[in-house]
PDB file of all heavy atoms in Angstrom:
ATOM      1  N   ARG N 154       0.405   2.326  -0.673  1.00  0.00           N
ATOM      2  CA  ARG N 154       1.240   3.517  -0.723  1.00  0.00           C
ATOM      3  C   ARG N 154       1.263   4.028   0.704  1.00  0.00           C
ATOM      4  O   ARG N 154       0.300   4.087   1.445  1.00  0.00           O
ATOM      5  CB  ARG N 154       0.737   4.505  -1.711  1.00  0.00           C
ATOM      6  CG  ARG N 154       0.990   3.917  -3.175  1.00  0.00           C
ATOM      7  CD  ARG N 154       0.602   5.053  -4.111  1.00  0.00           C
ATOM      8  NE  ARG N 154       1.177   6.264  -3.840  1.00  0.00           N
ATOM      9  CZ  ARG N 154       1.638   7.218  -4.658  1.00  0.00           C
ATOM     10  NH1 ARG N 154       1.563   6.959  -5.919  1.00  0.00           N
ATOM     11  NH2 ARG N 154       2.090   8.337  -4.317  1.00  0.00           N
ATOM     12  N   PHE N 158      -1.667   4.760   3.856  1.00  0.00           N
ATOM     13  CA  PHE N 158      -1.507   4.285   5.187  1.00  0.00           C
ATOM     14  C   PHE N 158      -1.607   5.441   6.166  1.00  0.00           C
ATOM     15  O   PHE N 158      -2.389   5.265   7.110  1.00  0.00           O
ATOM     16  CB  PHE N 158      -0.058   3.580   5.391  1.00  0.00           C
ATOM     17  CG  PHE N 158       0.252   3.332   6.795  1.00  0.00           C
ATOM     18  CD1 PHE N 158      -0.444   2.267   7.501  1.00  0.00           C
ATOM     19  CD2 PHE N 158       0.991   4.228   7.599  1.00  0.00           C
ATOM     20  CE1 PHE N 158      -0.173   1.956   8.789  1.00  0.00           C
ATOM     21  CE2 PHE N 158       1.316   3.971   8.861  1.00  0.00           C
ATOM     22  CZ  PHE N 158       0.589   2.870   9.472  1.00  0.00           C
ATOM     23  N   ILE N 159      -0.935   6.418   5.829  1.00  0.00           N
ATOM     24  CA  ILE N 159      -1.006   7.697   6.838  1.00  0.00           C
ATOM     25  C   ILE N 159      -2.437   8.198   6.883  1.00  0.00           C
ATOM     26  O   ILE N 159      -2.948   8.537   7.976  1.00  0.00           O
ATOM     27  CB  ILE N 159      -0.050   8.831   6.377  1.00  0.00           C
ATOM     28  CG1 ILE N 159       1.419   8.312   6.517  1.00  0.00           C
ATOM     29  CG2 ILE N 159      -0.213  10.070   7.249  1.00  0.00           C
ATOM     30  CD1 ILE N 159       2.521   9.221   5.999  1.00  0.00           C
ATOM     31  N   SER N 166      -5.203  13.733   5.586  1.00  0.00           N
ATOM     32  CA  SER N 166      -5.696  13.145   4.196  1.00  0.00           C
ATOM     33  C   SER N 166      -4.502  12.714   3.510  1.00  0.00           C
ATOM     34  O   SER N 166      -3.292  13.019   3.830  1.00  0.00           O
ATOM     35  CB  SER N 166      -6.314  14.289   3.430  1.00  0.00           C
ATOM     36  OG  SER N 166      -5.433  15.243   3.019  1.00  0.00           O
ATOM     37  N   LYS N 191       6.281   2.864  -0.588  1.00  0.00           N
ATOM     38  CA  LYS N 191       5.284   1.761  -0.220  1.00  0.00           C
ATOM     39  C   LYS N 191       5.432   1.380   1.197  1.00  0.00           C
ATOM     40  O   LYS N 191       6.565   1.230   1.806  1.00  0.00           O
ATOM     41  CB  LYS N 191       5.594   0.541  -1.083  1.00  0.00           C
ATOM     42  CG  LYS N 191       5.473   0.705  -2.516  1.00  0.00           C
ATOM     43  CD  LYS N 191       4.014   0.962  -3.070  1.00  0.00           C
ATOM     44  CE  LYS N 191       4.005   1.185  -4.501  1.00  0.00           C
ATOM     45  NZ  LYS N 191       2.743   1.673  -5.025  1.00  0.00           N
ATOM     46  N   VAL N 200       5.937  10.298  12.124  1.00  0.00           N
ATOM     47  CA  VAL N 200       5.668  11.694  11.525  1.00  0.00           C
ATOM     48  C   VAL N 200       6.165  12.645  12.685  1.00  0.00           C
ATOM     49  O   VAL N 200       5.672  12.555  13.796  1.00  0.00           O
ATOM     50  CB  VAL N 200       4.200  11.861  11.275  1.00  0.00           C
ATOM     51  CG1 VAL N 200       3.930  13.267  10.762  1.00  0.00           C
ATOM     52  CG2 VAL N 200       3.787  10.924  10.179  1.00  0.00           C
ATOM     53  N   ILE N 205       3.128   6.445  14.217  1.00  0.00           N
ATOM     54  CA  ILE N 205       1.677   6.406  14.039  1.00  0.00           C
ATOM     55  C   ILE N 205       1.344   5.020  13.686  1.00  0.00           C
ATOM     56  O   ILE N 205       2.136   4.312  13.106  1.00  0.00           O
ATOM     57  CB  ILE N 205       1.289   7.441  12.922  1.00  0.00           C
ATOM     58  CG1 ILE N 205       1.984   7.153  11.631  1.00  0.00           C
ATOM     59  CG2 ILE N 205       1.467   8.834  13.427  1.00  0.00           C
ATOM     60  CD1 ILE N 205       1.395   7.880  10.473  1.00  0.00           C
ATOM     61  N   ILE N 240     -19.060  21.574   7.785  1.00  0.00           N
ATOM     62  CA  ILE N 240     -19.938  20.293   7.878  1.00  0.00           C
ATOM     63  C   ILE N 240     -19.408  19.357   8.867  1.00  0.00           C
ATOM     64  O   ILE N 240     -20.248  18.607   9.540  1.00  0.00           O
ATOM     65  CB  ILE N 240     -20.074  19.756   6.434  1.00  0.00           C
ATOM     66  CG1 ILE N 240     -21.218  18.779   6.424  1.00  0.00           C
ATOM     67  CG2 ILE N 240     -18.780  19.095   5.955  1.00  0.00           C
ATOM     68  CD1 ILE N 240     -21.645  18.450   4.996  1.00  0.00           C
ATOM     69  N   VAL N 289     -32.853  23.056  -9.249  1.00  0.00           N
ATOM     70  CA  VAL N 289     -32.374  24.370  -9.080  1.00  0.00           C
ATOM     71  C   VAL N 289     -33.495  25.356  -9.134  1.00  0.00           C
ATOM     72  O   VAL N 289     -34.328  25.285 -10.078  1.00  0.00           O
ATOM     73  CB  VAL N 289     -31.279  24.811 -10.183  1.00  0.00           C
ATOM     74  CG1 VAL N 289     -30.806  26.235  -9.908  1.00  0.00           C
ATOM     75  CG2 VAL N 289     -30.141  23.788 -10.145  1.00  0.00           C
ATOM     76  N   PHE N 327     -35.618  24.339 -12.577  1.00  0.00           N
ATOM     77  CA  PHE N 327     -35.194  23.358 -13.587  1.00  0.00           C
ATOM     78  C   PHE N 327     -34.330  22.333 -12.940  1.00  0.00           C
ATOM     79  O   PHE N 327     -33.990  22.379 -11.867  1.00  0.00           O
ATOM     80  CB  PHE N 327     -34.508  24.097 -14.747  1.00  0.00           C
ATOM     81  CG  PHE N 327     -33.153  24.694 -14.413  1.00  0.00           C
ATOM     82  CD1 PHE N 327     -31.956  23.953 -14.700  1.00  0.00           C
ATOM     83  CD2 PHE N 327     -33.065  25.871 -13.791  1.00  0.00           C
ATOM     84  CE1 PHE N 327     -30.795  24.580 -14.408  1.00  0.00           C
ATOM     85  CE2 PHE N 327     -31.835  26.529 -13.520  1.00  0.00           C
ATOM     86  CZ  PHE N 327     -30.679  25.861 -13.870  1.00  0.00           C
TER      87      PHE N 327
END
Side-chain angles (χ1 to χ4, degrees):
R154 288 186 53 141
F158 169 80
I159 294 171
S166 70
K191 302 288 185 194
V200 176
I205 59 172
I240 198 166
V289 178
F327 67 98

